[in-house]
Amino acid sequence: MQSDCFGEHLMGCEPNWYQGFPSPYYTDSHKDFRKKCREFVETEMKPHVEDWIKSPEGYPASLHAKAYQAGVQGIVFPKEFGGSREDHDYFHELILWDELARCTGGVLAQLSINSMGMPPVSAHGSEELKARVIPPVVKGEKTIALMISEPYAGSDVAGVKTTAERQGDHFVVNGQKKWITGGHRADFYTCAVLTAKGMSLLLIEKGMPGLSVRKMDTQFDNSNGTAFVTLEDVKVPASNLIGKEGEGFKYLMHNFNHERFVIAVGACRGARNCYEESIKYAMKRKTFGKPLIEHQAIRMKLAEMLRQIEALHDSCERVAYAMSQGVPDYEFGATCALLKVNGSRCFEFCAREASQIFGGSSIVREGQGKLVERMYRDVRASAIPGGSEEILLDFSIRNSVAKYAKLQSKQ
């Protein structure tokens, strides 16, 4: 079994199947892709993290093209537009988000946002819109952001106030969008607006007159960034309508399930990063005349961290399996809501325990605890985007009760 190990051999620092344990989910194709992702992260991302965090521009846009050429980026997009979705399943995607999350600081984070902003276009956009938007994003030449949240509507998606008034062959858009991840670097925006027929989605493009974007500082280190977007009488061609007018809310609800899966997988690796840093530190740091690892209290902390991480990763695999088997997206509402909450809470717990294990070293942005300090600030970026924990917990039960009531009514 040892000969099948990949990456770190210390228990818990990698997913169970990395350490040689059998799994019904993974094939040689997954192993090859895992190796490809690991090499890309180690050579193209991690060596540059500190410089890119400090740079106002963040990581270079050219990194996306490199990721595409390396065979990393294309798996989340369809073949007809230059991707390789059909050659991969959701376990390849799980590997992708897990491996990328080994690198902190938001490096290449826009790839996950592309995977969230693009599905409404590929599923509901016109053929002209697909041909114009999807290929350059797939190839890493351009990026797309998902533009929903507003100063007055975060998790309350139905509360958006940005308007789009139809005037001839255009919509005139007015409003504000806030916390738009990667908004300052995006070339396209999948934007939620209110039209005469209700919530709709429009494809807004960089450079349209009246569109202004301001990068916002964040609690966490972010080489990608988030933005405040102002739309003042932005004229958007009616041909940029994504799908049917008035159907935007439904499109977004389906889109959120995949987004929450992506966030949960990243949070799981974030928690695992905390565990890895902690157990390695505990094995070399000495207090009261003996290594930290010889203190029972420290071992209990590490064991509880690992217990939660392994349970979370198993849940991510369960959802990936269901998706790979073709379970309809609308069936995942409650499941993905709870998965994301489990992800952020596991990450938060592990970040706190890692900070306790590192002590003073975890509250300064240098030295041995530097990464733990960074990850402690990363937690909220898992707990709030994609729906806050409180909203998702409530939604999961409401969704389950509604589905049960619907089944009962048919009996």
Side-chain angles (χ1 to χ4, degrees):
M1 198 167 72
Q2 190 75 13
S3 62
D4 292 330
C5 285
F6 179 87
E8 177 58 59
H9 290 197
L10 185 59
M11 180 183 173
C13 296
E14 303 281 11
N16 194 264
W17 72 281
Y18 280 41
Q19 298 182 324
F21 288 93
S23 169
Y25 302 130
Y26 302 101
T27 66
D28 287 342
S29 174
H30 297 104
K31 292 177 181 178
D32 291 343
F33 184 67
R34 175 183 64 183
K35 182 174 182 289
K36 188 182 295 182
C37 290
R38 179 64 61 102
E39 288 176 352
F40 188 82
V41 170
E42 291 296 325
T43 60
E44 300 292 345
M45 295 170 60
K46 291 181 80 171
H48 311 290
V49 173
E50 302 304 324
D51 290 338
W52 290 342
I53 286 174
K54 295 172 185 175
S55 169
E57 291 77 29
Y59 70 83
S62 59
L63 190 63
H64 284 273
K66 282 187 177 181
Y68 177 73
Q69 292 158 8
V72 171
Q73 173 159 308
I75 73 156
V76 294
F77 303 111
K79 263 186 176 180
E80 63 177 309
F81 299 109
S84 56
R85 167 89 270 178
E86 294 81 356
D87 295 332
H88 300 88
D89 60 18
Y90 281 95
F91 288 99
H92 289 94
E93 193 171 334
L94 190 158
I95 292 167
L96 172 65
W97 306 128
D98 179 64
E99 286 292 324
L100 291 183
R102 291 182 60 255
C103 183
T104 58
V107 177
L108 205 63
Q110 195 61 26
L111 176 54
S112 66
I113 302 302
N114 289 344
S115 79
M116 300 169 193
M118 189 62 76
V121 178
S122 59
H124 308 290
S126 66
E127 293 305 312
E128 184 276 330
L129 206 59
K130 293 177 185 178
R132 178 159 54 88
V133 174
I134 302 179
V137 174
V138 171
K139 295 174 183 177
E141 298 164 357
K142 294 186 177 182
T143 64
I144 185 169
L146 188 61
M147 198 152 68
I148 303 171
S149 299
E150 299 181 355
Y152 15 74
S155 294
D156 180 17
V157 176
V160 300
K161 297 181 180 180
T162 296
T163 60
E165 182 183 350
R166 183 67 180 262
Q167 295 183 7
D169 59 357
H170 284 78
F171 286 97
V172 178
V173 181
N174 284 281
Q176 295 177 323
K177 297 291 182 178
K178 194 173 184 181
W179 310 294
I180 307 306
T181 306
H184 64 292
R185 68 163 74 230
D187 299 282
F188 305 109
Y189 303 85
T190 297
C191 183
V193 297
L194 292 179
T195 67
K197 295 183 179 180
M199 186 178 293
S200 305
L201 299 182
L202 285 177
L203 194 285
I204 293 178
E205 301 176 53
K206 180 179 181 180
M208 285 183 166
L211 174 71
S212 60
V213 182
R214 173 176 62 83
K215 187 177 180 181
M216 304 172 71
D217 291 331
T218 58
Q219 178 186 50
F220 47 95
D221 289 334
N222 200 339
S223 65
N224 187 33
T226 194
F228 191 100
V229 182
T230 303
L231 303 113
E232 296 181 318
D233 293 330
V234 180
K235 291 183 67 176
V236 181
S239 59
N240 278 26
L241 179 68
I242 300 172
K244 295 180 180 179
E245 189 174 346
E247 296 288 305
F249 187 80
K250 180 176 71 175
Y251 300 157
L252 290 176
M253 290 303 100
H254 290 174
N255 198 54
F256 279 142
N257 294 328
H258 176 263
E259 176 180 355
R260 289 163 185 161
F261 170 72
V262 172
I263 293 172
V265 173
C268 187
R269 178 56 83 164
R272 201 180 293 278
N273 289 341
C274 292
Y275 170 83
E276 180 178 357
E277 291 295 308
S278 298
I279 192 169
K280 289 180 177 178
Y281 180 74
M283 292 168 70
K284 65 182 181 181
R285 168 72 167 164
K286 288 187 176 181
T287 60
F288 303 100
K290 60 182 178 180
L292 269 181
I293 198 71
E294 292 186 15
H295 294 277
Q296 186 181 40
I298 299 300
R299 294 197 300 273
M300 292 303 101
K301 287 181 181 294
L302 292 166
E304 181 60 22
M305 291 164 74
L306 186 55
R307 182 186 70 80
Q308 294 191 26
I309 291 166
E310 296 298 350
L312 173 59
H313 197 269
D314 285 351
S315 293
C316 291
E317 290 183 326
R318 173 168 54 84
V319 172
Y321 178 74
M323 290 177 169
S324 293
Q325 293 302 303
V327 175
D329 191 83
Y330 59 80
E331 294 286 355
F332 285 107
T335 300
C336 286
L338 292 176
L339 181 68
K340 179 186 173 291
V341 175
N342 284 343
S344 59
R345 292 198 170 175
C346 176
F347 189 12
E348 182 163 23
F349 175 83
C350 291
R352 182 196 184 279
E353 294 299 83
S355 186
Q356 291 300 109
I357 290 170
F358 271 82
S361 294
S362 72
I363 60 174
V364 291
R365 300 183 185 186
E366 60 180 65
Q368 296 181 87
K370 180 178 182 177
L371 185 58
V372 170
E373 188 279 333
R374 177 175 295 158
M375 290 188 291
Y376 196 90
R377 290 182 286 111
D378 282 347
V379 170
R380 299 266 66 81
S382 295
I384 296 173
S388 69
E389 293 175 348
E390 295 77 9
I391 294 291
L392 294 185
L393 289 170
D394 179 58
F395 166 76
S396 67
I397 300 303
R398 287 191 294 105
N399 180 263
S400 299
V401 170
K403 286 173 70 173
Y404 178 73
K406 188 175 181 181
L407 285 172
Q408 291 294 96
S409 68
K410 293 179 179 179
Q411 294 181 357

